[in-house]
Amino acid sequence: MSDLQLRLFVGRRVVLSALIAFALIAARPTMAQVAVPGSAAKATETQAAVTIRPELVVRASSVGLLGQRITVSPNGDWYARLARSGQISIVSTKDGIEFQRFTANQYNSRFNYTYNVVAISADSKTLAIPFMNGHIQRFDVNTTHALPDIQIGDGSSVLWIAYHPQEDILATVLDSGAVYLIRGSDGKVLFQSALRAALSTSFKIFFSASGNELLGLSENEAILWNWREKKQLWAVDSHALHSDNLGRIVLRQQLSPQGIFPVQESAEKLGLFHFAGAAFSPSGKSVALVHDDEVSLVGIDTGTKFATIPIPYASCLSAL
């Protein structure tokens, strides 16, 4: 693993990204024991999921690091570092040299907008960044010139986007919960559905390795579609999927004018069952749904959990 990849995988809370969760899984020497007894097929799939090389996962994933979003290009030659202000740096993975820097916010300082994700096209030539009012900004990586915006939906802010692994197709989810698949060349809508209607800043969207399945994720729900056939395959609730251990007590640190002092809360009250991220296995047979304190491995065909992998939960700090 290169120094860049090591820095992406080590340091901050592992529960914030499905990418890091898969890195933890891959780092374990053997995990066959986590499979449900009595199912050789499930054990085989579990073993396949846990032997993924982290460097293969990082190239298709995006991770938050020190207030920035880092996304590695599909060809593995560079990564994009997106600051919340909209400034983008393009950095070589081979020598760490920054060869492009520009600002995404082409609407100047009229808007105080926080950027949270950058998507990279399958050919590694185009960057896409979600913006408010249904806009998706796109940029040519080589020239940094802005490409025509894509506008989608009812004017709601675009919260998350993902490029199809082979085609010029963008998956988007708006803050209304609306999900769209759009063609990059002309903005044509190829598929439309929705997550729960309640507003949430946690909506995310993911393609499977084949690009045929699309996973929509909120804190409370994961929905898998076969978008080509325009049908929902399954939906799971984060609380129901989580292990039956939410009554346990977790220590957190609370900040007040009098200082920092420990507070004990139940895992249920802290909401550790919420989904924080997801990642598909390269085999296309399973998906890792990441809670704040464990990873649920779920079969794509059935939506049934076949393994649970605990991950460390760092004590949180809250302010009065």
Side-chain angles (χ1 to χ4, degrees):
M1 184 182 291
S2 72
D3 182 57
L4 163 67
Q5 292 158 345
L6 183 63
R7 289 199 303 272
L8 291 180
F9 279 105
V10 178
R12 303 211 64 198
R13 279 184 59 189
V14 297
V15 299
L16 297 182
S17 164
L19 161 64
I20 300 180
F22 256 130
L24 284 173
I25 298 168
R28 298 190 178 199
T30 58
M31 288 297 300
Q33 66 270 25
V34 302
V36 177
S39 173
K42 290 179 179 178
T44 301
E45 173 57 21
T46 303
Q47 188 62 37
V50 301
T51 54
I52 299 167
R53 292 170 58 204
E55 57 265 37
L56 296 182
V57 180
V58 72
R59 290 181 180 180
S61 302
S62 183
V63 59
L65 193 66
L66 301 177
Q68 300 183 84
R69 177 64 54 174
I70 293 177
T71 304
V72 181
S73 64
N75 63 16
D77 290 343
W78 53 272
Y79 67 92
R81 186 172 60 230
L82 174 68
R84 291 176 179 175
S85 63
Q87 184 179 82
I88 296 175
S89 298
I90 308 296
V91 182
S92 170
T93 57
K94 298 175 182 178
D95 52 25
I97 294 176
E98 179 185 281
F99 60 90
Q100 297 283 22
R101 180 185 290 186
F102 60 101
T103 300
N105 190 356
Q106 57 184 306
Y107 302 103
N108 61 55
S109 59
R110 289 180 297 159
F111 303 110
N112 183 22
Y113 182 76
T114 299
Y115 290 85
N116 60 3
V117 66
V118 56
I120 303 172
S121 62
D123 60 8
S124 299
K125 294 180 179 180
T126 305
L127 286 175
I129 299 108
F131 195 64
M132 58 175 56
N133 300 326
H135 282 275
I136 298 173
Q137 301 177 67
R138 297 183 301 157
F139 299 87
D140 184 292
V141 172
N142 292 324
T143 66
T144 72
H145 291 163
L147 301 173
D149 272 13
I150 294 174
Q151 187 166 12
I152 197 71
D154 57 3
S156 302
S157 292
V158 183
L159 292 184
W160 201 265
I161 56 175
Y163 261 110
H164 190 280
Q166 290 93 32
E167 302 175 43
D168 183 25
I169 295 173
L170 272 166
T172 70
V173 58
L174 309 185
D175 63 10
S176 62
V179 172
Y180 294 92
L181 255 67
I182 50 180
R183 193 161 55 202
S185 59
D186 56 11
K188 179 180 178 180
V189 176
L190 304 176
F191 173 79
Q192 182 177 351
S193 191
L195 294 165
R196 290 186 186 180
L199 293 178
S200 171
T201 58
S202 65
F203 289 140
K204 295 180 176 68
I205 202 86
F206 306 89
F207 278 109
S208 65
S210 69
N212 293 327
E213 291 84 23
L214 184 70
L215 180 75
L217 195 74
S218 71
E219 287 185 348
N220 299 310
E221 183 180 42
I223 300 178
L224 187 71
W225 298 277
N226 183 318
W227 67 270
R228 294 191 191 277
E229 298 180 6
K230 293 182 170 54
K231 67 178 183 181
Q232 179 178 312
L233 300 179
W234 48 257
V236 294
D237 178 85
S238 61
H239 192 283
L241 191 67
H242 194 279
S243 299
D244 186 19
N245 61 1
L246 292 170
R248 74 187 193 279
I249 301 301
V250 177
L251 179 68
R252 67 181 177 87
Q253 303 297 318
Q254 185 162 285
L255 180 64
S256 75
Q258 289 74 39
I260 299 175
F261 55 94
V263 176
Q264 293 184 339
E265 300 277 13
S266 70
E268 174 93 36
K269 188 173 181 179
L270 287 173
L272 300 189
F273 56 88
H274 287 145
F275 288 135
F280 284 92
S281 66
S283 69
K285 296 181 180 179
S286 68
V287 61
L289 299 177
V290 183
H291 309 269
D292 272 347
D293 60 347
E294 67 183 33
V295 179
S296 297
L297 296 184
V298 174
I300 285 182
D301 291 341
T302 62
T304 302
K305 180 170 68 172
F306 62 87
T308 299
I309 301 173
I311 55 178
Y313 174 72
S315 296
C316 55
L317 181 68
S318 62
L320 292 176

